[in-house]
Amino acid sequence: MERARKPTALATTPGLPPQPQVTLTDSNARLTATLPTGESIDILLHGATILSWKDAAGRENFWLSDAAKLDGSGAARGGIPIVFPVFGTSDGHGAEKLPQHGFARNSRWEFLGKSTSEAAKEGVKLDFGLSSQNLSDDVRAQWPYTFGLLYSVTLDRGSLNTTLVVTNDGDVPFEFQTLLHNYFRVDDIEKVTVKGFEDAPYVDKADQFKTKTQAGAVTFAGETDSVYTPAQGPGHPLVIEEDGKPRFRIVRDNLEDAVVFNPWVDKARSMGDFEPKDGWKKMLCVEPGSVSKWQTLEKGDAFEAAQTIYLV
């Protein structure tokens, strides 16, 4: 018997739009995130070091040494190692016992989870944590403070943001420095210029730590290792150009300084984990940080800083 009124079909629930994919590999030692549009990042949990950042076309934006330590035996050379709580070495400020650039880049971080990027729905935000409880007894003896680090990595179409929050979870104040050690991949370092350092004072570590002032854009014709405090402040972008065309634009937040580094011929040869030895032709470090002075955190205080790297 035919019914006069047939029930209407249930409306089909529309499928969810494509979501970012996040996977753990290498016995949970590495994490890869890929956006529906094709951009991807690869992160080593040892150091929470971003090893790779590719655009939608698969072009690699970071330089990684062929001899980089990826097995947890040391800090990886390339990508974005995290410098904390000391830049270089120190003969004071509570950091005199620490190895070069501190322990954050050479410690196992915990992956805390993922969420949708606030800036773009198709983006992804990944959180990582490191605290004094995660450190070995030896490292805690070298730097006996109670702290927490929260490192957030946000991949969006055309940009990468890294944010570091430092908290003092103990009763004793401590001092620290920090820096995001970006290794950018370029085609030819001798065709690269960096703008945004005009009129900035800097310390030239490759020339007996002399204090100088930058005139015009930074260019490269030999070993470069300089600590700049850009005159126009963190909000003014640093722009890496190659052959006159912009490649990367870096905007800093609460990071007053920036280091520019290329080892050139002789220093690259002397570095055991730098391969190939002529790799200096294909890389450039521009590293936002807070390193020209020391930050002091009192009990319960927090320090937050960030960088956003835009593909131009």
Side-chain angles (χ1 to χ4, degrees), residues 82-86 164 176-180 255 288-291 303 305:
I82 302 168
V83 173
F84 177 89
V86 60
L164 184 67
F176 71 93
Q177 298 171 318
T178 189
L179 175 136
L180 299 166
L255 296 171
S290 179
V291 296
F303 169 91

Side-chain angles (χ1 to χ4, degrees), residues 41 117-119 123-126 152-156 159-162:
I41 50 175
S117 162
E118 294 179 6
V124 66
K125 177 173 173 282
L126 309 169
S152 298
V153 177
T154 302
L155 175 65
D156 285 319
S159 70
L160 180 67
N161 173 276
T162 58

Side-chain angles (χ1 to χ4, degrees), residues 79-94:
I80 311 182
I82 302 168
V83 173
F84 177 89
V86 60
F87 172 65
T89 58
S90 174
D91 58 2
H93 301 275

Side-chain angles (χ1 to χ4, degrees), residues 145-207:
Y145 301 102
T146 305
F147 72 94
L149 298 180
L150 174 64
Y151 185 54
S152 298
V153 177
T154 302
L155 175 65
D156 285 319
R157 295 189 66 183
S159 70
L160 180 67
N161 173 276
T162 58
T163 298
L164 184 67
V165 179
V166 185
T167 55
N168 183 346
D169 300 329
D171 297 324
V172 180
F174 61 76
E175 295 178 284
F176 71 93
Q177 298 171 318
T178 189
L179 175 136
L180 299 166
H181 203 309
N182 304 322
Y183 285 79
F184 292 100
R185 176 177 287 276
V186 298
D187 293 327
D188 183 353
I189 187 62
E190 295 185 77
K191 295 182 179 179
V192 171
T193 59
V194 185
K195 296 181 177 178
F197 291 113
E198 294 79 7
D199 301 319
Y202 69 98
V203 176
D204 190 342
K205 296 170 66 177
D207 186 15

Side-chain angles (χ1 to χ4, degrees), residues 10-91:
L10 292 174
T12 303
T13 302
L16 291 172
Q19 299 295 305
Q21 299 299 310
V22 178
T23 56
L24 282 164
T25 60
D26 293 347
S27 300
N28 294 335
R30 292 172 74 153
L31 183 147
T32 298
T34 305
L35 300 188
T37 46
E39 294 87 348
S40 67
I41 50 175
D42 189 17
I43 302 174
L44 189 68
L45 289 185
H46 185 83
T49 303
I50 302 174
L51 302 175
S52 169
W53 172 32
K54 294 180 180 178
D55 65 17
R59 183 182 187 183
E60 180 60 68
N61 296 304
F62 288 149
W63 183 88
L64 180 67
S65 169
D66 290 347
K69 297 175 182 178
L70 305 179
D71 60 358
S73 62
R77 183 172 297 282
I80 311 182
I82 302 168
V83 173
F84 177 89
V86 60
F87 172 65
T89 58
S90 174
D91 58 2

